[in-house]
Amino acid sequence: MARRPTIKDIARQAGVSESAVSFALNNRPGVSQDTRARIRRVAEELGWQPNSAARALSGEQSGAVGLVLARPAHTLGVESFFLQLVSGIQEVLAAGRIALLFQVVEDLDAECAVYRRWWAERRVDGVVVVDPRTDDPRPALLEQLALPAVTVGETGPASASPDSAAPAPSAPAALSALSALSAVRADDAGAMAQVLDHLYGLGHRRIAHVAGLPGLAHTERRIASLRAEAERLGLGSGQVRSVTTDYSDAEGAEATRRILAEPEPPTAIVYDNDVMAVAGVAVASELGIPVPGGLSVVAWDDSALCRVTRPRLTALVRDTAGFGRLAAEELLGLLAGGPPRSRESERPRLEPRESTAPPPAAY
C-alpha cells in the first residue's frame, strides 16, 4: 500500500525546512511568495492532503458534517425520500469539498451517543438533524455541546396535537426548541389541506390516513392537520382517522387490510409515503376493490414508483433534493459564523392522477 505523503516528504523534495512547509500550507507569514508557490507545487505533485484529525485537534474545522438516522434499517432501502434528501445535501457539501459522515442507529439514545462521540473526537463541524420528535432531547444536547446544527423540520410539539382540531401554522415558526439551531421546514398543514380539498371535492366523506412513525413531529402535525381540515369541511371524527406505521410496505399493507375490513370502510386513503401507497393499491386489488372505482389513493411524496404504478398515483410533488440543499446551505452558513434562522421550503403541490376519482355511486 502506498504511504501517504507527509510534510517531511514535501520539505525534503522542496529543499526547505518542515516549518517553512507548515507556514506555506497554512497561509501563514514566514516564507517568500516564490518559496510558498514551490512548496504548494510539490505538495500537489505528491498528492498531499491535510489531515482532518490533526486539523481538528489544532482547533481548525474537520471538513466534515454528520447525519445520523435513527430509524428501522429495513425501512431505508425502499423509501426514496432519504435518498433524495441526502443527494441534495451532498450536492452542496461536495461543491465545498466537505465530507458527509452518515450513520444509522437503532434509537434516539444511540443517536445522542453518536453526537457526544463525534464532538469528543472532533469528527464533525456540525450536523443535520432529521425526524424531529414531539419531545426531542437533541436540541438541548447540541446546544450543550455547542455543535452547530440544522433540523430538517420543526422540533418540539406539533402546533396541534392529534386530539386537537387547532390547525398548524403555515408560516415559518420558531427555529426550534433552542435558538442556536437553524431549521428548514415544510408546510405539512398546507399540503394536507390540498389533499383534503381534492378528495372532498370529488365527493369523499370517509377518508383514512396511513401515517408514519408515531412520535415524529411531522407525523403528529399531519394527523393534527387532517383533523383540523376535516372539521373545517364539516366532517365528523368518525369519518376521518389516522393510523401509524413504520413507513414500510409490510405495515402499510397490514394497515390497509384492517381499514378496508371495517364495517364502513373509507372510500379514500392518504399514505405518508409512496411505498405504503403502492402496497395499499396491491391490497385493494387482492380484495377485489378497484382503484379508483372503489377506493381512491393518495401518496404524500411523489416518486418514480408513483408514476409507473397502474393506475398512476395522485401524489404530493416536492423538490426533496432541494430540501436537502437548503439544509446544507443553512448549516454551512452557521459554520461560517452566520446567525441561526428558520427557512421554509417550497410548499408541496398536489398532482392529481388516475388513482383518485369520485366514490362509488352507492356511497
Side-chain angles (χ1 to χ4, degrees), residues 68-70 105 107-115 129-130 133 138:
V68 184
L69 190 58
V105 295
D107 53 36
L108 207 56
D109 289 340
E111 180 176 343
C112 290
V114 170
Y115 293 145
V129 180
V130 297
R133 267 63 170 182
R138 294 172 295 176

Side-chain angles (χ1 to χ4, degrees), residues 84-85 88-89 91 318-329 345:
Q84 296 178 50
L85 183 74
I89 292 172
E91 182 180 338
R318 62 175 170 178
D319 183 4
T320 304
F323 204 18
R325 289 192 295 270
L326 185 62
E329 290 166 1
S345 67

